[in-house]
Amino acid sequence: MHIGHIRLANRLFAAPMAGVTDRPFRQLCKRLGAGYAVSEMVTSQRDLWNSLKTSRRANHDGEAAPIAVQIAGTDALMMAEAAAYNIDRGAQIIDINMGCPAKKVCNKWAGSALMQDEPLALAIVEAVVAACAPHNVPVTLKMRTGWCDAERNAVRIARAAESAGVAMVAVHGRTREQGYRGLAEYDTVAAVKAALSIPVVANGDIDSPEKARAVLAATGADAIMIGRAAQGRPWIFREIAHFLATGEHLPAPEVTQAKAWLLEHLDDHYGLYGRDDAGSGVRSARKHIGWAVRALPGGEEFRARMNRLESCETQVRAVTDWFDELADRHHLLPTSSSAAANDSSIEDALNEEIA
Ligand SMILES: Cc1cc2nc3c(=O)[nH]c(=O)nc-3n(C[C@H](O)[C@H](O)[C@H](O)COP(=O)(O)O)c2cc1C
């Protein structure tokens, strides 16, 4: 699997998720079997580039290559500048966001809303490709199946993007109008794959090794991209890799192993967001811990208690003690989580992230 001249370790991708796929989480996914992980979206709005949020998003310290940064915006020139800015900061691949349903980026409709305005979408693609070409940086596109049920224009946009020089297209099998409701469909993803000669990535509702195999077969896609099912369960990538290679399931991780991965993740997370009690590290870590325990026995009760802890030290202590008690009762993780947040909470959280 290649993106332009860049060879990937495998065809299992971590999806970009604002507020989730920061550098520590991407690193963890890559360590646990993802061949590729895209950053959270970085705004094309120049006056926000020095904000703490954007500079954290542009932090790639120690990140395993290839470093892929997603940019979001509505103006072709600003998007081209954002691409150049991120290449200066280490991006080796630039991804254009035409998939996110959040209402506003840069105070304008962006993300998947661009699919409603094909000339603008294409102008953005052309400008970004032109900005990246001198640096030999491939450009990719993340899109939905269309704006709404009656207007599924993914194939048209993907074809135009390929002609403009895009090196790979990822398609989430929902329309913009659907948000995260209903089920992802893969026929449109298959149609995009059939229409293009660049790699196509299938995305949406892939939450198990069986589903991964079925989506690859149904779409003919070159790779699959996983978002929500990796929350709290980043080892899903190696589970899928093993299943695709052997047709057999890996056993669930040992409880002590899951604890070690979570503690390493927390340490990396605090390193990026701050370890002091006033810092945001302890607060932003809560969601990752919550996802890690939500499907485990007693997980909901622990999550409620853990959410009231205000320092990194007490958070680490609580996580350690909780997993140690779990390990006394279970050798392997007793259940695996694929529970996803409900649709409206995702969109609310996204709008907050982007604001
Ligand atoms: C919390 C959250 C944040 C997201 N942020 C982005 C984003 O910044 N850019 C983007 O292209 N898609 C974003 N998405 C969409 C995902 O990349 C993915 O397309 C979607 O979740 C469907 O895949 P899944 O069913 O495997 O989760 C986000 C999704 C979630 C749940």
Side-chain angles (χ1 to χ4, degrees):
M1 171 82 201
H2 283 78
I3 300 179
H5 63 283
I6 296 177
R7 187 171 179 278
L8 305 182
N10 63 36
R11 50 184 179 156
L12 306 178
F13 292 13
M17 291 184 281
V20 182
T21 49
D22 52 14
R23 197 243 305 137
F25 188 72
R26 294 197 298 277
Q27 282 287 81
L28 186 64
C29 291
K30 284 178 178 174
R31 263 182 59 209
L32 297 182
Y36 186 64
V38 189
S39 77
E40 314 165 84
M41 69 180 111
V42 173
T43 175
S44 62
Q45 208 172 339
R46 185 184 271 276
D47 53 348
L48 294 179
W49 289 347
N50 288 327
S51 74
L52 192 53
K53 187 182 270 185
T54 303
S55 56
R56 278 190 186 128
R57 287 186 178 184
N59 178 319
H60 305 291
D61 294 350
E63 184 169 353
I67 293 167
V69 174
Q70 184 181 74
I71 56 174
T74 55
D75 178 274
L77 185 62
M78 285 166 70
M79 287 287 273
E81 287 173 358
Y85 173 85
N86 282 289
I87 291 169
D88 275 355
R89 271 149 198 80
Q92 296 162 320
I93 295 171
I94 293 288
D95 184 49
I96 300 174
N97 179 342
M98 274 184 216
C100 182
K103 287 199 172 67
K104 285 182 176 176
V105 175
C106 315
N107 297 322
K108 284 191 187 152
W109 295 89
S112 51
L114 287 175
M115 295 189 72
Q116 211 182 15
D117 186 341
E118 290 181 27
L120 176 59
L122 192 58
I124 287 176
V125 168
E126 284 170 349
V128 173
V129 168
C132 293
H135 305 277
N136 203 18
V137 167
V139 176
T140 62
L141 183 61
K142 170 129 182 308
M143 66 201 306
R144 289 193 168 224
T145 53
W147 172 256
C148 62
D149 215 25
E151 194 43 60
R152 288 184 202 223
N153 55 353
V155 171
R156 216 162 46 230
I157 293 183
R159 267 209 187 108
E162 178 176 37
S163 304
V166 157
M168 182 204 84
V169 172
V171 188
H172 174 192
R174 287 186 174 81
T175 62
R176 160 68 183 81
E177 200 175 57
Q178 265 182 292
Y180 289 90
R181 291 174 293 279
L183 298 173
E185 56 91 4
Y186 306 108
D187 290 351
T188 308
V189 184
V192 172
K193 168 62 194 165
L196 302 193
S197 42
I198 53 173
V200 172
V201 183
N203 169 238
D205 297 351
I206 300 169
D207 59 1
S208 68
E210 284 84 354
K211 186 83 185 257
R213 185 170 64 184
V215 172
L216 281 168
T219 59
D222 302 275
I224 48 171
M225 178 180 269
I226 296 164
R228 290 164 293 173
Q231 295 172 346
R233 192 182 152 202
W235 52 85
I236 189 172
F237 296 103
R238 62 183 213 166
E239 287 178 341
I240 292 176
H242 185 81
F243 183 76
L244 292 179
T246 65
E248 289 178 4
H249 286 279
L250 274 181
E254 293 178 6
V255 173
T256 50
Q257 178 62 78
K259 177 186 88 170
W261 284 330
L262 181 56
L263 291 177
E264 284 163 34
H265 181 198
L266 289 179
D267 191 50
D268 208 7
H269 186 93
Y270 301 146
L272 183 62
Y273 294 94
R275 288 175 198 277
D276 55 300
D277 294 357
S280 58
V282 66
R283 287 190 298 278
S284 52
R286 288 176 186 152
K287 58 178 176 264
H288 291 286
I289 300 170
W291 289 325
V293 302
R294 66 185 163 186
L296 299 173
E300 280 306 325
E301 181 276 326
F302 174 66
R303 172 149 68 163
R305 185 156 54 83
M306 180 272 305
N307 278 342
R308 294 194 291 272
L309 302 177
E310 294 289 349
S311 78
C312 299
E313 210 181 0
T314 52
Q315 200 171 48
V316 164
R317 187 75 263 148
V319 166
T320 306
D321 291 348
W322 193 81
F323 273 92
D324 284 347
E325 277 173 30
L326 190 68
D328 287 342
R329 286 174 282 132
H330 301 274
H331 177 55
L332 301 181
L333 272 191
T335 52
S336 59
S337 162
S338 62
N342 71 42
D343 314 327
S344 54
S345 72
I346 294 171
E347 283 174 46
D348 289 351
L350 269 175
N351 286 322
E352 224 169 84
E353 270 305 323
I354 289 152

